[in-house]
Amino acid sequence: MATREAGLLPDPWRRATVHMSHALTTLYSTQGLDRARTLADAAVRDACGGGSVVVRARAHALQAEIAARAGEQRQAQAALGLARYDLECDHSGDPAASSFSPGHLRGFEGVCELYVGDAARAHDRFVKAAGAMVAPREQVQRAITATDQALARIRMGDPRSAADLLHECVLGMATTGGRVPSIRLRRARRELRPWRREHWAVDLDDHLMDVLGS
């Protein structure tokens, strides 16, 4: 349905945003990476033919994340390079100038480091990304970044610190809502299963149940 609706939009950059939203929800469904990659590729094609360089940067960044999740380091870095190039262009008159920023890009860089790089570097990217996203409209993206930061802490061998951060994410989710942050939070919690009997992990589960009912 989303793909059909996207085809009715007159401007390619608007179609690209629909494809990206569809790709994100698909990325966390049982359809896996292949379908999400197809949608991200469609977003890049439309963005390249549209009137927003900023949307093109966002599409390339999403393409990079999907490549990284598939273990494709070279492809992920190439797509990130294109996203950086797009953000360095002149955005005067861009119809979606505020939809993607260097702070957002740092979050994507962190995800790529998380899957095909170094967890400590990923954590650093997430800290910088969260610090740059302070506007009220960026709260949802900030919550997503914080859950990714918790994943980096787990992979750095610090699960308890990750749980402390996830408590903050639960509180943020109670305010912002959103399907993608909620899915990211649950996935991060599953990474803590090896420590599920620790009192701090039990406390996190109780918090999740109280606030999100999950």
Side-chain angles (χ1 to χ4, degrees), residues 21 24-25 28 137-144 147 169-187 208 211-212 214:
S21 295
L24 281 171
T25 56
Y28 302 109
R137 58 183 168 76
E138 295 176 320
Q139 286 184 345
V140 171
Q141 188 61 43
R142 185 181 174 90
I144 292 171
T147 60
C169 295
V170 173
L171 292 174
M173 276 297 306
T175 303
T176 62
R179 183 182 179 189
V180 172
S182 178
I183 293 172
R184 290 280 253 268
L185 179 57
R186 290 182 175 90
R187 286 195 168 187
L208 279 164
V211 176
L212 302 179
S214 61

Side-chain angles (χ1 to χ4, degrees), residues 44 48 53-64 74-89 91 100 105 109:
V44 168
C48 286
V53 177
V54 174
V55 167
R56 190 170 71 204
R58 183 181 164 205
H60 279 135
L62 178 58
Q63 207 173 37
R74 183 178 60 80
Q75 293 90 328
Q77 290 303 319
L80 282 177
L82 291 171
R84 293 187 193 103
Y85 175 81
D86 292 334
L87 279 185
E88 291 170 358
C89 293
H91 301 150
F100 193 73
L105 181 56
E109 289 172 340

Side-chain angles (χ1 to χ4, degrees), residues 33-201:
L33 290 175
D34 290 342
R35 179 59 178 157
R37 188 195 300 271
T38 298
L39 290 163
D41 291 346
V44 168
R45 287 193 298 271
D46 276 335
C48 286
S52 173
V53 177
V54 174
V55 167
R56 190 170 71 204
R58 183 181 164 205
H60 279 135
L62 178 58
Q63 207 173 37
E65 175 177 344
I66 294 171
R69 287 176 180 273
E72 301 167 353
Q73 184 178 27
R74 183 178 60 80
Q75 293 90 328
Q77 290 303 319
L80 282 177
L82 291 171
R84 293 187 193 103
Y85 175 81
D86 292 334
L87 279 185
E88 291 170 358
C89 293
D90 181 9
H91 301 150
S92 301
D94 193 301
S98 63
S99 64
F100 193 73
S101 68
H104 291 100
L105 181 56
R106 288 191 192 100
F108 281 96
E109 289 172 340
V111 171
C112 291
E113 285 286 355
L114 195 61
Y115 285 94
V116 292
D118 179 80
R121 287 199 297 269
H123 189 272
D124 181 61
R125 298 288 194 281
F126 293 137
V127 170
K128 291 179 179 177
M133 291 184 286
V134 296
R137 58 183 168 76
E138 295 176 320
Q139 286 184 345
V140 171
Q141 188 61 43
R142 185 181 174 90
I144 292 171
T145 299
T147 60
D148 290 337
Q149 185 182 342
L151 278 175
R153 290 184 181 184
I154 295 170
R155 296 181 187 184
M156 292 166 65
D158 194 0
R160 183 163 185 173
S161 175
D164 291 341
L165 183 55
L166 289 175
H167 275 289
E168 298 177 23
C169 295
V170 173
L171 292 174
M173 276 297 306
T175 303
T176 62
R179 183 182 179 189
V180 172
S182 178
I183 293 172
R184 290 280 253 268
L185 179 57
R186 290 182 175 90
R187 286 195 168 187
R189 173 60 190 91
R190 285 200 293 271
E191 294 281 335
L192 290 172
R193 281 177 177 170
W195 302 275
R196 64 185 177 277
R197 298 187 187 279
E198 298 288 343
H199 69 86
W200 44 266

